């Protein structure tokens, strides 16, 4: 099989059974890509009336035919489940290295059913797939959990938010790449599944190497031409632009621009912090940025959505508080968009000054 590996792995955490089956080539072709495949599998395997946090819900990790190949930006993977936040079938995708590693381990789709009695993590080392005890990982946040498991491969895990079934909990991989939306971290927590660590050694088979290589080069050149802003600033480049166009979420979504937008913009961060680019697997854009020195050394530069949700949407122009809260959310495993927006709504409902939020963040520095 070309592009795909032809293998689905089904793990039932209730009885500990691990089954491998052949993926259906017609299905793979009809629902091309990780998202299409994940939603199709989910639709076929689950009935509409199940509770998202019950053992009847399933959690699916998928890769696509380009994942783990030389195609640019091909390190992505997709998670699909029923969301405890919306009650609908939900997909969330992430960059990083976890997706390509799943593919290297010959997994098109990893389907997780049931729920364990005690905390567990799944280890995939090519064909050696195990469910291991995770009592010593439970209660730890993302950074600690990833530190502990990363010697065995690339790690996707939940923090304490997922363990506590917070409906905006996410699943983080390799420390700061998030399947952020829809509360899929809570689904993982409901299954007592703390983490998945994966290491693979196989390459995806390409039907026509020469043509594929040519296509990859053309795609890379096109991407490079249109992505210099992303490479320089990351998605934070969008903040000033959205403010200029008056489509920036501000003041709990009641406004569309923010006077101090420039103070939480990508340009401001670049001028005031020593930052370096970071790339996901096989990505020439390197839109992720890390702060190299100073009080926030090693911290991630927040994405555009995090900047507006904790910044303008909360009438907050303290960039330090946003950098800090971004790290806190990534470590607890909480979606920054939902968290910032929820705080903005709460502040308005309670009639509270958002300063209380920034003070709280400062205290935790
Ligand atoms: S570095 Fe940015 S652009 Fe490149 S794959 Fe990762 S998220 Fe996408």
């Amino acid at each position: 099989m070309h592009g795909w590996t032809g293998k689905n792995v089904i793990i039932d955490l209730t009885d500990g059974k691990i089954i491998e089956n052949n993926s259906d080539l017609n299905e793979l072709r009809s629902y091309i890509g990780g998202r299409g495949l994940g939603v199709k599998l989910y639709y076929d395997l689950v009935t509409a009336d199940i509770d998202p946090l019950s053992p009847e819900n399933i959690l699916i990790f998928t890769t696509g035919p380009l994942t783990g190949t030389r195609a640019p930006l091909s390190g992505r993977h997709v998670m699909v489940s029923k969301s405890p936040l919306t009650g609908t079938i939900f997909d969330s995708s992430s960059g990083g290295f976890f997706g390509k590693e799943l593919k290297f381990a010959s997994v098109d789709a990893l389907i997780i059913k049931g729920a364990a009695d005690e905390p567990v993590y799944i280890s995939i080392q090519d064909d050696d797939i195990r469910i291991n005890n995770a009592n010593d990982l439970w209660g730890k946040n993302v950074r600690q959990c990833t530190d502990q498991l990363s010697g065995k491969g690339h790690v996707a895990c939940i923090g304490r938010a997922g363990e506590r079934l917070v409906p905006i909990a996410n699943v983080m991989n390799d420390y700061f790449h998030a399947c952020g939306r829809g509360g899929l971290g809570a689904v993982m927590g409901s299954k007592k599944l703390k983490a998945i660590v994966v290491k693979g050694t196989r390459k995806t088979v390409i039907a026509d190497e020469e043509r594929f290589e040519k296509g990859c080069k053309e795609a890379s050149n096109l991407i490079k031409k249109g992505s210099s802003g992303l490479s320089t600033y990351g998605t934070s480049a969008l903040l000033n632009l959205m403010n200029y166009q008056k489509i920036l979420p501000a003041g709990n979504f009641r406004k569309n621009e923010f006077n101090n937008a420039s103070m939480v913009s990508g340009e401001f961060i670049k001028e005031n912090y020593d930052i370096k680019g970071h790339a996901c697997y096989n990505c020439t854009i390197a839109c992720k940025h890390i702060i190299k020195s100073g009080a926030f050394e090693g911290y991630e530069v927040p994405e555009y959505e995090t900047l507006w949700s904790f910044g303008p949407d909360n009438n907050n122009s303290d960039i330090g508080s946003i950098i800090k809260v971004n790290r806190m959310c990534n470590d607890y495993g909480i979606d920054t968009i939902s968290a910032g927006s929820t705080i903005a709504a709460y502040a308005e409902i309670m009639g509270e000054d958002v300063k209380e939020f920034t003070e709280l963040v400062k205290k935790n520095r």
Side-chain angles (χ1 to χ4, degrees):
M1 194 178 276
H2 301 118
W4 292 280
T5 71
K7 189 170 90 179
N8 292 337
V9 175
I10 303 156
I11 299 180
D12 191 328
L13 294 176
T14 302
D15 60 17
K17 279 196 184 133
I18 300 172
I19 298 167
E20 291 176 15
N21 68 14
N22 295 333
S23 27
D24 174 344
L25 187 57
N26 283 335
E27 194 167 78
L28 292 172
R29 287 199 169 133
S30 304
Y31 298 90
I32 200 162
R35 183 191 200 186
L37 174 64
V39 172
K40 172 69 166 82
L41 288 169
Y42 189 90
Y43 185 81
D44 287 347
L45 290 169
V46 178
T47 55
D49 54 351
I50 54 134
D51 177 344
L53 298 180
S54 70
E56 286 71 42
N57 195 11
I58 64 171
L59 190 60
I60 304 177
F61 290 76
T62 49
T63 55
L66 292 178
T67 310
T69 66
R70 287 186 310 284
L73 288 70
S74 59
R76 300 191 71 84
H77 69 278
V78 175
M79 288 183 69
V80 174
S81 190
K82 186 172 184 179
S83 162
L85 191 62
T86 65
T88 57
I89 297 179
F90 212 97
D91 74 277
S92 193
S93 76
S94 172
F97 296 81
F98 183 81
K100 71 94 183 166
E101 208 66 29
L102 260 187
K103 195 68 171 293
F104 283 9
S106 300
V107 179
D108 288 329
L110 172 64
I111 300 163
I112 299 159
K113 297 176 156 182
D117 291 333
E118 292 218 72
V120 294
Y121 76 91
I122 292 169
S123 165
I124 301 175
Q125 312 279 314
D126 281 327
D127 294 332
D128 183 5
I129 303 174
R130 297 172 193 218
I131 303 168
N132 295 328
N133 184 286
N135 275 330
D136 62 331
L137 294 170
W138 204 253
K140 290 183 176 163
N141 270 340
V142 168
R143 297 191 72 78
Q144 261 189 309
C145 178
T146 308
D147 279 347
Q148 208 164 316
L149 291 179
S150 60
K152 297 174 181 164
H154 289 278
V155 179
C157 68
I158 55 172
R160 280 192 251 168
E163 292 178 6
R164 294 182 189 195
L165 314 183
V166 174
I168 58 171
N170 64 18
V171 180
M172 302 295 297
N173 68 91
D174 292 323
Y175 295 101
F176 56 85
H177 302 278
C179 277
R181 309 291 284 152
L184 303 190
V187 176
M188 210 156 137
S190 73
K191 298 186 176 307
K192 288 269 192 299
L193 176 59
K194 179 67 181 175
I196 300 167
V197 57
V198 56
K199 186 155 185 57
T201 56
R202 303 185 187 112
K203 298 281 183 250
T204 308
V205 183
I206 307 293
D208 183 337
E209 289 277 359
E210 210 173 304
R211 271 179 66 204
F212 185 69
E213 191 63 34
K214 190 165 169 275
C216 289
K217 273 192 190 139
E218 282 172 15
S220 281
N221 288 338
L222 281 173
I223 289 166
K224 260 186 214 154
K225 279 183 193 156
S227 59
S228 67
L230 274 176
S231 300
T232 308
Y233 302 107
T235 54
S236 62
L238 291 168
L239 202 119
N240 273 340
L241 185 66
M242 295 299 165
N243 194 49
Y244 177 73
Q245 294 185 330
K246 298 193 184 349
I247 49 174
L248 182 72
N252 189 26
F253 280 88
R254 291 192 180 276
K255 298 178 189 158
N256 55 7
E257 60 184 323
F258 184 57
N259 281 343
N260 293 329
S262 63
M263 291 173 70
V264 292
S265 66
E267 289 84 345
F268 184 89
I269 295 169
K270 177 113 180 110
E271 264 173 42
N272 290 280
Y273 294 91
D274 183 18
I275 63 173
K276 63 175 178 188
H278 170 88
C280 300
Y281 173 76
N282 222 10
C283 176
T284 47
I285 300 174
C287 81
K288 303 274 178 193
H289 288 81
I290 307 289
I291 298 170
K292 278 161 55 182
S293 58
F296 293 117
E297 183 179 351
Y299 280 42
E300 310 85 41
V301 170
E303 302 287 343
Y304 160 67
E305 295 88 346
T306 312
L307 288 169
W308 68 247
S309 69
F310 284 109
D313 206 35
N314 271 292
N315 302 316
N316 174 28
S317 55
D318 176 356
I319 188 65
S321 71
I322 304 173
I323 293 169
K324 173 68 186 173
V325 81
N326 181 52
R327 167 57 73 91
M328 287 166 70
C329 285
N330 285 349
D331 204 23
Y332 279 94
I334 296 176
D335 174 32
T336 54
I337 304 175
S338 296
S341 307
T342 303
I343 291 168
Y346 177 82
E348 181 178 323
I349 291 164
M350 302 304 286
E352 286 180 16
D353 193 319
V354 81
K355 263 190 232 144
E356 290 191 12
F357 156 67
T358 49
E359 289 308 316
L360 179 74
V361 174
K362 278 179 191 161
K363 260 190 245 159
N364 277 292
R365 268 187 201 169

